[in-house]
Amino acid sequence: MNDESENTMGSPTPEELRQQVERTRDELGQTVEALAGKADVKAQAKEKTAAAKKQAAEKTAELKGQAAEKTAAAKEQAAEKATAVKEQAAEKSAELKEQAAEKTAAVKEQAAAATAQIREKTAQAAQAVKDKTPEPVQEKTAQAATQVRESAARAGQFAVDRTPDPLLEKADRIAKAARANRTPLLAGGAVLVAFLLIRRGRGRNK
């Protein structure tokens, strides 16, 4: 064998080595480009993910801010309405109290005027009866009134001795109420007694 056949059958020639190196270089370049592309895709994906997270966070913060503002506004409106309702209720209560006080005062005034008129008329009637009644009749009237008071006192003591305590308390309340109107009652009683005595005197004269 010669050298040429050995190159053909054995080790590659320099040209073949050069071609193999170029092919290998091309393959490595393609591999590097592919790896670089994959790395770039991952980086873009990370960037997109980060951007999406950032947008989501910003949107969440914005929504939270809007919700907080709406909640604060709703609370403020509710507080204002509650204050307005309280003020209206207070004004209405004061108005009703004032009206009730005015009505009570008017009723008391009317009652006082009516009581004064009754007392005045009773006094006038008693005076008229007294003026028209002879002195002997007046004396008999006074004696009769004294006897009535004494009899009433004895009867009252008798009733007290035989009346249970609860009834005594009730009678005491009634007596206090009667004492409050004692003047009209006494005057009316005096008029009635005087009238009866006058009728009796006239009947005897006939």
Side-chain angles (χ1 to χ4, degrees), residues 102-149:
E102 291 177 355
K103 289 182 180 179
T104 302
V107 170
K108 287 182 178 179
E109 185 176 355
Q110 291 175 359
T115 303
Q117 290 178 358
I118 291 172
R119 288 178 179 176
E120 184 179 356
K121 289 181 179 179
T122 302
Q124 291 175 357
Q127 187 64 38
V129 172
K130 185 177 179 180
D131 294 340
K132 295 179 180 180
T133 303
E135 291 183 359
V137 176
Q138 292 183 12
E139 293 178 358
K140 289 182 180 180
T141 302
Q143 293 175 359
T146 302
Q147 292 176 359
V148 168
R149 286 196 295 270

mmCIF file of all heavy atoms in Angstrom, residues 102-149:
data_model
loop_
_atom_site.group_PDB
_atom_site.id
_atom_site.type_symbol
_atom_site.label_atom_id
_atom_site.label_comp_id
_atom_site.label_asym_id
_atom_site.label_seq_id
_atom_site.Cartn_x
_atom_site.Cartn_y
_atom_site.Cartn_z
ATOM 1 N N GLU A 102 -98.827 72.826 77.742
ATOM 2 C CA GLU A 102 -99.812 73.870 77.478
ATOM 3 C C GLU A 102 -101.234 73.379 77.761
ATOM 4 O O GLU A 102 -102.038 74.093 78.371
ATOM 5 C CB GLU A 102 -99.696 74.325 76.024
ATOM 6 C CG GLU A 102 -98.410 75.088 75.727
ATOM 7 C CD GLU A 102 -98.282 75.461 74.265
ATOM 8 O OE1 GLU A 102 -99.159 75.038 73.481
ATOM 9 O OE2 GLU A 102 -97.330 76.165 73.904
ATOM 10 N N LYS A 103 -101.531 72.135 77.323
ATOM 11 C CA LYS A 103 -102.870 71.588 77.564
ATOM 12 C C LYS A 103 -103.111 71.402 79.061
ATOM 13 O O LYS A 103 -104.200 71.704 79.570
ATOM 14 C CB LYS A 103 -103.031 70.258 76.830
ATOM 15 C CG LYS A 103 -103.131 70.399 75.326
ATOM 16 C CD LYS A 103 -103.326 69.045 74.672
ATOM 17 C CE LYS A 103 -103.430 69.196 73.152
ATOM 18 N NZ LYS A 103 -103.597 67.879 72.478
ATOM 19 N N THR A 104 -102.088 70.913 79.780
ATOM 20 C CA THR A 104 -102.231 70.724 81.225
ATOM 21 C C THR A 104 -102.468 72.053 81.928
ATOM 22 O O THR A 104 -103.317 72.167 82.819
ATOM 23 C CB THR A 104 -100.969 70.055 81.785
ATOM 24 O OG1 THR A 104 -100.760 68.803 81.117
ATOM 25 C CG2 THR A 104 -101.099 69.804 83.269
ATOM 26 N N ALA A 105 -101.693 73.069 81.519
ATOM 27 C CA ALA A 105 -101.870 74.389 82.115
ATOM 28 C C ALA A 105 -103.262 74.935 81.833
ATOM 29 O O ALA A 105 -103.908 75.525 82.715
ATOM 30 C CB ALA A 105 -100.806 75.340 81.585
ATOM 31 N N ALA A 106 -103.745 74.723 80.601
ATOM 32 C CA ALA A 106 -105.077 75.212 80.248
ATOM 33 C C ALA A 106 -106.159 74.509 81.072
ATOM 34 O O ALA A 106 -107.100 75.136 81.571
ATOM 35 C CB ALA A 106 -105.332 75.003 78.757
ATOM 36 N N VAL A 107 -106.002 73.177 81.216
ATOM 37 C CA VAL A 107 -106.985 72.416 82.006
ATOM 38 C C VAL A 107 -106.972 72.868 83.462
ATOM 39 O O VAL A 107 -108.019 73.046 84.094
ATOM 40 C CB VAL A 107 -106.680 70.907 81.901
ATOM 41 C CG1 VAL A 107 -107.532 70.119 82.891
ATOM 42 C CG2 VAL A 107 -106.958 70.408 80.480
ATOM 43 N N LYS A 108 -105.753 73.067 84.017
ATOM 44 C CA LYS A 108 -105.662 73.524 85.398
ATOM 45 C C LYS A 108 -106.295 74.910 85.562
ATOM 46 O O LYS A 108 -106.982 75.180 86.554
ATOM 47 C CB LYS A 108 -104.195 73.571 85.827
ATOM 48 C CG LYS A 108 -103.577 72.198 86.058
ATOM 49 C CD LYS A 108 -102.154 72.339 86.533
ATOM 50 C CE LYS A 108 -101.544 70.972 86.815
ATOM 51 N NZ LYS A 108 -100.129 71.086 87.261
ATOM 52 N N GLU A 109 -106.039 75.757 84.584
ATOM 53 C CA GLU A 109 -106.610 77.097 84.642
ATOM 54 C C GLU A 109 -108.130 77.050 84.591
ATOM 55 O O GLU A 109 -108.828 77.739 85.355
ATOM 56 C CB GLU A 109 -106.068 77.936 83.487
ATOM 57 C CG GLU A 109 -106.495 79.398 83.521
ATOM 58 C CD GLU A 109 -105.863 80.202 82.407
ATOM 59 O OE1 GLU A 109 -105.021 79.613 81.677
ATOM 60 O OE2 GLU A 109 -106.208 81.386 82.261
ATOM 61 N N GLN A 110 -108.667 76.201 83.696
ATOM 62 C CA GLN A 110 -110.117 76.062 83.599
ATOM 63 C C GLN A 110 -110.696 75.485 84.887
ATOM 64 O O GLN A 110 -111.744 75.939 85.367
ATOM 65 C CB GLN A 110 -110.472 75.160 82.418
ATOM 66 C CG GLN A 110 -110.173 75.796 81.061
ATOM 67 C CD GLN A 110 -110.418 74.834 79.918
ATOM 68 O OE1 GLN A 110 -110.799 73.692 80.129
ATOM 69 N NE2 GLN A 110 -110.214 75.306 78.699
ATOM 70 N N ALA A 111 -110.019 74.486 85.440
ATOM 71 C CA ALA A 111 -110.496 73.887 86.684
ATOM 72 C C ALA A 111 -110.471 74.896 87.824
ATOM 73 O O ALA A 111 -111.400 74.963 88.643
ATOM 74 C CB ALA A 111 -109.636 72.669 87.041
ATOM 75 N N ALA A 112 -109.396 75.695 87.880
ATOM 76 C CA ALA A 112 -109.308 76.711 88.930
ATOM 77 C C ALA A 112 -110.415 77.746 88.779
ATOM 78 O O ALA A 112 -111.036 78.170 89.768
ATOM 79 C CB ALA A 112 -107.940 77.381 88.888
ATOM 80 N N ALA A 113 -110.675 78.157 87.516
ATOM 81 C CA ALA A 113 -111.735 79.137 87.277
ATOM 82 C C ALA A 113 -113.093 78.565 87.669
ATOM 83 O O ALA A 113 -113.922 79.250 88.302
ATOM 84 C CB ALA A 113 -111.742 79.560 85.810
ATOM 85 N N ALA A 114 -113.338 77.290 87.295
ATOM 86 C CA ALA A 114 -114.619 76.662 87.640
ATOM 87 C C ALA A 114 -114.767 76.539 89.158
ATOM 88 O O ALA A 114 -115.849 76.799 89.713
ATOM 89 C CB ALA A 114 -114.709 75.288 86.985
ATOM 90 N N THR A 115 -113.680 76.149 89.836
ATOM 91 C CA THR A 115 -113.730 76.029 91.295
ATOM 92 C C THR A 115 -114.010 77.381 91.940
ATOM 93 O O THR A 115 -114.798 77.494 92.891
ATOM 94 C CB THR A 115 -112.400 75.465 91.815
ATOM 95 O OG1 THR A 115 -112.148 74.201 91.188
ATOM 96 C CG2 THR A 115 -112.434 75.287 93.318
ATOM 97 N N ALA A 116 -113.353 78.419 91.415
ATOM 98 C CA ALA A 116 -113.578 79.763 91.958
ATOM 99 C C ALA A 116 -115.026 80.195 91.762
ATOM 100 O O ALA A 116 -115.649 80.787 92.666
ATOM 101 C CB ALA A 116 -112.632 80.748 91.291
ATOM 102 N N GLN A 117 -115.580 79.897 90.583
ATOM 103 C CA GLN A 117 -116.980 80.253 90.326
ATOM 104 C C GLN A 117 -117.920 79.505 91.265
ATOM 105 O O GLN A 117 -118.870 80.084 91.808
ATOM 106 C CB GLN A 117 -117.341 79.942 88.869
ATOM 107 C CG GLN A 117 -116.681 80.870 87.867
ATOM 108 C CD GLN A 117 -117.025 80.497 86.436
ATOM 109 O OE1 GLN A 117 -117.729 79.514 86.203
ATOM 110 N NE2 GLN A 117 -116.528 81.280 85.488
ATOM 111 N N ILE A 118 -117.634 78.216 91.458
ATOM 112 C CA ILE A 118 -118.483 77.418 92.358
ATOM 113 C C ILE A 118 -118.419 77.974 93.783
ATOM 114 O O ILE A 118 -119.443 78.112 94.468
ATOM 115 C CB ILE A 118 -118.045 75.947 92.326
ATOM 116 C CG1 ILE A 118 -118.385 75.337 90.951
ATOM 117 C CG2 ILE A 118 -118.722 75.148 93.434
ATOM 118 C CD1 ILE A 118 -117.836 73.946 90.748
ATOM 119 N N ARG A 119 -117.195 78.284 94.238
ATOM 120 C CA ARG A 119 -117.054 78.831 95.589
ATOM 121 C C ARG A 119 -117.778 80.171 95.724
ATOM 122 O O ARG A 119 -118.437 80.456 96.733
ATOM 123 C CB ARG A 119 -115.580 78.999 95.918
ATOM 124 C CG ARG A 119 -114.861 77.678 96.150
ATOM 125 C CD ARG A 119 -113.392 77.918 96.435
ATOM 126 N NE ARG A 119 -112.711 76.651 96.683
ATOM 127 C CZ ARG A 119 -111.399 76.552 96.880
ATOM 128 N NH1 ARG A 119 -110.635 77.643 96.841
ATOM 129 N NH2 ARG A 119 -110.850 75.369 97.104
ATOM 130 N N GLU A 120 -117.618 80.996 94.686
ATOM 131 C CA GLU A 120 -118.261 82.304 94.726
ATOM 132 C C GLU A 120 -119.783 82.161 94.765
ATOM 133 O O GLU A 120 -120.464 82.820 95.570
ATOM 134 C CB GLU A 120 -117.834 83.128 93.513
ATOM 135 C CG GLU A 120 -118.382 84.551 93.516
ATOM 136 C CD GLU A 120 -117.903 85.339 92.309
ATOM 137 O OE1 GLU A 120 -117.087 84.776 91.527
ATOM 138 O OE2 GLU A 120 -118.338 86.497 92.142
ATOM 139 N N LYS A 121 -120.320 81.292 93.891
ATOM 140 C CA LYS A 121 -121.773 81.093 93.868
ATOM 141 C C LYS A 121 -122.262 80.477 95.175
ATOM 142 O O LYS A 121 -123.332 80.838 95.690
ATOM 143 C CB LYS A 121 -122.150 80.202 92.688
ATOM 144 C CG LYS A 121 -121.992 80.893 91.342
ATOM 145 C CD LYS A 121 -122.404 79.968 90.210
ATOM 146 C CE LYS A 121 -122.256 80.680 88.863
ATOM 147 N NZ LYS A 121 -122.631 79.806 87.728
ATOM 148 N N THR A 122 -121.484 79.552 95.727
ATOM 149 C CA THR A 122 -121.874 78.934 96.990
ATOM 150 C C THR A 122 -121.882 79.961 98.110
ATOM 151 O O THR A 122 -122.803 79.999 98.955
ATOM 152 C CB THR A 122 -120.902 77.799 97.338
ATOM 153 O OG1 THR A 122 -120.894 76.841 96.269
ATOM 154 C CG2 THR A 122 -121.318 77.100 98.619
ATOM 155 N N ALA A 123 -120.835 80.810 98.113
ATOM 156 C CA ALA A 123 -120.783 81.851 99.144
ATOM 157 C C ALA A 123 -121.945 82.824 98.990
ATOM 158 O O ALA A 123 -122.565 83.250 99.985
ATOM 159 C CB ALA A 123 -119.449 82.581 99.052
ATOM 160 N N GLN A 124 -122.250 83.180 97.746
ATOM 161 C CA GLN A 124 -123.365 84.093 97.516
ATOM 162 C C GLN A 124 -124.686 83.472 97.960
ATOM 163 O O GLN A 124 -125.528 84.131 98.595
ATOM 164 C CB GLN A 124 -123.432 84.468 96.037
ATOM 165 C CG GLN A 124 -122.276 85.344 95.565
ATOM 166 C CD GLN A 124 -122.298 85.590 94.077
ATOM 167 O OE1 GLN A 124 -123.159 85.054 93.368
ATOM 168 N NE2 GLN A 124 -121.378 86.425 93.594
ATOM 169 N N ALA A 125 -124.860 82.189 97.603
ATOM 170 C CA ALA A 125 -126.095 81.510 98.004
ATOM 171 C C ALA A 125 -126.193 81.416 99.515
ATOM 172 O O ALA A 125 -127.263 81.643 100.109
ATOM 173 C CB ALA A 125 -126.138 80.116 97.375
ATOM 174 N N ALA A 126 -125.052 81.096 100.155
ATOM 175 C CA ALA A 126 -125.069 80.998 101.621
ATOM 176 C C ALA A 126 -125.373 82.351 102.247
ATOM 177 O O ALA A 126 -126.130 82.446 103.227
ATOM 178 C CB ALA A 126 -123.718 80.477 102.110
ATOM 179 N N GLN A 127 -124.770 83.397 101.706
ATOM 180 C CA GLN A 127 -125.030 84.739 102.238
ATOM 181 C C GLN A 127 -126.476 85.140 102.019
ATOM 182 O O GLN A 127 -127.114 85.749 102.899
ATOM 183 C CB GLN A 127 -124.095 85.742 101.569
ATOM 184 C CG GLN A 127 -124.171 87.131 102.162
ATOM 185 C CD GLN A 127 -123.731 87.166 103.602
ATOM 186 O OE1 GLN A 127 -122.796 86.470 103.981
ATOM 187 N NE2 GLN A 127 -124.418 87.960 104.425
ATOM 188 N N ALA A 128 -127.019 84.804 100.840
ATOM 189 C CA ALA A 128 -128.415 85.140 100.568
ATOM 190 C C ALA A 128 -129.347 84.420 101.523
ATOM 191 O O ALA A 128 -130.308 84.992 102.054
ATOM 192 C CB ALA A 128 -128.757 84.790 99.121
ATOM 193 N N VAL A 129 -129.065 83.140 101.738
ATOM 194 C CA VAL A 129 -129.890 82.379 102.688
ATOM 195 C C VAL A 129 -129.762 82.949 104.078
ATOM 196 O O VAL A 129 -130.744 83.083 104.837
ATOM 197 C CB VAL A 129 -129.478 80.892 102.665
ATOM 198 C CG1 VAL A 129 -130.177 80.134 103.782
ATOM 199 C CG2 VAL A 129 -129.839 80.282 101.315
ATOM 200 N N LYS A 130 -128.532 83.309 104.446
ATOM 201 C CA LYS A 130 -128.299 83.866 105.777
ATOM 202 C C LYS A 130 -129.032 85.186 105.950
ATOM 203 O O LYS A 130 -129.603 85.471 107.015
ATOM 204 C CB LYS A 130 -126.803 84.062 105.996
ATOM 205 C CG LYS A 130 -126.460 84.538 107.400
ATOM 206 C CD LYS A 130 -124.960 84.637 107.563
ATOM 207 C CE LYS A 130 -124.607 85.126 108.963
ATOM 208 N NZ LYS A 130 -123.124 85.241 109.151
ATOM 209 N N ASP A 131 -129.002 86.027 104.900
ATOM 210 C CA ASP A 131 -129.677 87.307 104.979
ATOM 211 C C ASP A 131 -131.187 87.148 105.130
ATOM 212 O O ASP A 131 -131.859 87.967 105.792
ATOM 213 C CB ASP A 131 -129.363 88.147 103.744
ATOM 214 C CG ASP A 131 -127.876 88.537 103.683
ATOM 215 O OD1 ASP A 131 -127.220 88.494 104.750
ATOM 216 O OD2 ASP A 131 -127.390 88.851 102.581
ATOM 217 N N LYS A 132 -131.745 86.124 104.502
ATOM 218 C CA LYS A 132 -133.188 85.915 104.532
ATOM 219 C C LYS A 132 -133.641 85.049 105.701
ATOM 220 O O LYS A 132 -134.843 84.826 105.867
ATOM 221 C CB LYS A 132 -133.650 85.281 103.224
ATOM 222 C CG LYS A 132 -133.453 86.192 102.017
ATOM 223 C CD LYS A 132 -133.896 85.497 100.748
ATOM 224 C CE LYS A 132 -133.688 86.411 99.542
ATOM 225 N NZ LYS A 132 -134.120 85.773 98.276
ATOM 226 N N THR A 133 -132.704 84.519 106.421
ATOM 227 C CA THR A 133 -133.061 83.616 107.521
ATOM 228 C C THR A 133 -133.121 84.395 108.828
ATOM 229 O O THR A 133 -132.175 85.125 109.160
ATOM 230 C CB THR A 133 -132.015 82.492 107.650
ATOM 231 O OG1 THR A 133 -131.941 81.803 106.399
ATOM 232 C CG2 THR A 133 -132.400 81.519 108.738
ATOM 233 N N PRO A 134 -134.214 84.266 109.589
ATOM 234 C CA PRO A 134 -134.301 84.944 110.896
ATOM 235 C C PRO A 134 -133.227 84.436 111.846
ATOM 236 O O PRO A 134 -132.719 83.332 111.699
ATOM 237 C CB PRO A 134 -135.702 84.582 111.388
ATOM 238 C CG PRO A 134 -136.453 84.195 110.159
ATOM 239 C CD PRO A 134 -135.458 83.577 109.235
ATOM 240 N N GLU A 135 -132.909 85.246 112.842
ATOM 241 C CA GLU A 135 -131.860 84.867 113.773
ATOM 242 C C GLU A 135 -132.188 83.593 114.545
ATOM 243 O O GLU A 135 -131.295 82.758 114.752
ATOM 244 C CB GLU A 135 -131.601 86.018 114.752
ATOM 245 C CG GLU A 135 -130.948 87.228 114.085
ATOM 246 C CD GLU A 135 -130.628 88.315 115.091
ATOM 247 O OE1 GLU A 135 -130.933 88.104 116.292
ATOM 248 O OE2 GLU A 135 -130.084 89.360 114.678
ATOM 249 N N PRO A 136 -133.440 83.406 114.977
ATOM 250 C CA PRO A 136 -133.735 82.134 115.679
ATOM 251 C C PRO A 136 -133.453 80.920 114.802
ATOM 252 O O PRO A 136 -132.944 79.904 115.265
ATOM 253 C CB PRO A 136 -135.225 82.262 116.031
ATOM 254 C CG PRO A 136 -135.472 83.718 116.079
ATOM 255 C CD PRO A 136 -134.601 84.328 115.024
ATOM 256 N N VAL A 137 -133.782 81.054 113.525
ATOM 257 C CA VAL A 137 -133.517 79.938 112.601
ATOM 258 C C VAL A 137 -132.021 79.721 112.440
ATOM 259 O O VAL A 137 -131.520 78.599 112.379
ATOM 260 C CB VAL A 137 -134.191 80.203 111.249
ATOM 261 C CG1 VAL A 137 -133.832 79.103 110.258
ATOM 262 C CG2 VAL A 137 -135.703 80.279 111.423
ATOM 263 N N GLN A 138 -131.262 80.840 112.395
ATOM 264 C CA GLN A 138 -129.810 80.712 112.277
ATOM 265 C C GLN A 138 -129.221 80.014 113.491
ATOM 266 O O GLN A 138 -128.319 79.182 113.375
ATOM 267 C CB GLN A 138 -129.183 82.108 112.113
ATOM 268 C CG GLN A 138 -129.520 82.783 110.795
ATOM 269 C CD GLN A 138 -128.827 84.114 110.651
ATOM 270 O OE1 GLN A 138 -127.930 84.441 111.436
ATOM 271 N NE2 GLN A 138 -129.256 84.898 109.662
ATOM 272 N N GLU A 139 -129.780 80.379 114.680
ATOM 273 C CA GLU A 139 -129.293 79.709 115.878
ATOM 274 C C GLU A 139 -129.600 78.215 115.841
ATOM 275 O O GLU A 139 -128.766 77.380 116.191
ATOM 276 C CB GLU A 139 -129.930 80.359 117.111
ATOM 277 C CG GLU A 139 -129.466 81.796 117.338
ATOM 278 C CD GLU A 139 -130.159 82.440 118.537
ATOM 279 O OE1 GLU A 139 -131.026 81.747 119.135
ATOM 280 O OE2 GLU A 139 -129.844 83.590 118.855
ATOM 281 N N LYS A 140 -130.847 77.915 115.428
ATOM 282 C CA LYS A 140 -131.201 76.500 115.317
ATOM 283 C C LYS A 140 -130.327 75.788 114.284
ATOM 284 O O LYS A 140 -129.943 74.638 114.454
ATOM 285 C CB LYS A 140 -132.675 76.369 114.934
ATOM 286 C CG LYS A 140 -133.625 76.764 116.057
ATOM 287 C CD LYS A 140 -135.068 76.571 115.614
ATOM 288 C CE LYS A 140 -136.027 76.961 116.746
ATOM 289 N NZ LYS A 140 -137.449 76.784 116.347
ATOM 290 N N THR A 141 -129.992 76.516 113.210
ATOM 291 C CA THR A 141 -129.117 75.925 112.183
ATOM 292 C C THR A 141 -127.742 75.631 112.751
ATOM 293 O O THR A 141 -127.159 74.565 112.505
ATOM 294 C CB THR A 141 -128.992 76.881 110.995
ATOM 295 O OG1 THR A 141 -130.292 77.142 110.462
ATOM 296 C CG2 THR A 141 -128.106 76.288 109.912
ATOM 297 N N ALA A 142 -127.219 76.600 113.520
ATOM 298 C CA ALA A 142 -125.907 76.385 114.136
ATOM 299 C C ALA A 142 -125.951 75.215 115.097
ATOM 300 O O ALA A 142 -125.043 74.371 115.143
ATOM 301 C CB ALA A 142 -125.471 77.659 114.849
ATOM 302 N N GLN A 143 -127.052 75.153 115.922
ATOM 303 C CA GLN A 143 -127.179 74.043 116.864
ATOM 304 C C GLN A 143 -127.288 72.712 116.113
ATOM 305 O O GLN A 143 -126.679 71.712 116.504
ATOM 306 C CB GLN A 143 -128.412 74.254 117.750
ATOM 307 C CG GLN A 143 -128.292 75.442 118.708
ATOM 308 C CD GLN A 143 -129.575 75.683 119.478
ATOM 309 O OE1 GLN A 143 -130.570 74.970 119.287
ATOM 310 N NE2 GLN A 143 -129.560 76.717 120.343
ATOM 311 N N ALA A 144 -128.064 72.735 115.037
ATOM 312 C CA ALA A 144 -128.222 71.502 114.253
ATOM 313 C C ALA A 144 -126.889 71.081 113.638
ATOM 314 O O ALA A 144 -126.543 69.899 113.607
ATOM 315 C CB ALA A 144 -129.266 71.709 113.163
ATOM 316 N N ALA A 145 -126.118 72.077 113.144
ATOM 317 C CA ALA A 145 -124.809 71.749 112.571
ATOM 318 C C ALA A 145 -123.884 71.170 113.615
ATOM 319 O O ALA A 145 -123.138 70.208 113.367
ATOM 320 C CB ALA A 145 -124.202 73.002 111.947
ATOM 321 N N THR A 146 -123.950 71.732 114.840
ATOM 322 C CA THR A 146 -123.119 71.209 115.929
ATOM 323 C C THR A 146 -123.511 69.786 116.269
ATOM 324 O O THR A 146 -122.657 68.902 116.456
ATOM 325 C CB THR A 146 -123.251 72.106 117.161
ATOM 326 O OG1 THR A 146 -122.875 73.444 116.821
ATOM 327 C CG2 THR A 146 -122.371 71.608 118.293
ATOM 328 N N GLN A 147 -124.823 69.563 116.368
ATOM 329 C CA GLN A 147 -125.285 68.205 116.652
ATOM 330 C C GLN A 147 -124.868 67.232 115.553
ATOM 331 O O GLN A 147 -124.480 66.099 115.820
ATOM 332 C CB GLN A 147 -126.812 68.210 116.816
ATOM 333 C CG GLN A 147 -127.292 68.947 118.061
ATOM 334 C CD GLN A 147 -128.802 69.004 118.134
ATOM 335 O OE1 GLN A 147 -129.493 68.499 117.231
ATOM 336 N NE2 GLN A 147 -129.345 69.619 119.197
ATOM 337 N N VAL A 148 -124.958 67.711 114.310
ATOM 338 C CA VAL A 148 -124.561 66.836 113.193
ATOM 339 C C VAL A 148 -123.084 66.487 113.293
ATOM 340 O O VAL A 148 -122.682 65.341 113.108
ATOM 341 C CB VAL A 148 -124.878 67.522 111.848
ATOM 342 C CG1 VAL A 148 -124.217 66.762 110.695
ATOM 343 C CG2 VAL A 148 -126.384 67.580 111.638
ATOM 344 N N ARG A 149 -122.239 67.511 113.610
ATOM 345 C CA ARG A 149 -120.807 67.232 113.737
ATOM 346 C C ARG A 149 -120.518 66.266 114.872
ATOM 347 O O ARG A 149 -119.699 65.360 114.737
ATOM 348 C CB ARG A 149 -120.040 68.547 113.925
ATOM 349 C CG ARG A 149 -119.911 69.385 112.662
ATOM 350 C CD ARG A 149 -118.830 70.452 112.833
ATOM 351 N NE ARG A 149 -119.220 71.414 113.868
ATOM 352 C CZ ARG A 149 -119.910 72.522 113.627
ATOM 353 N NH1 ARG A 149 -120.309 72.801 112.381
ATOM 354 N NH2 ARG A 149 -120.205 73.356 114.601
#
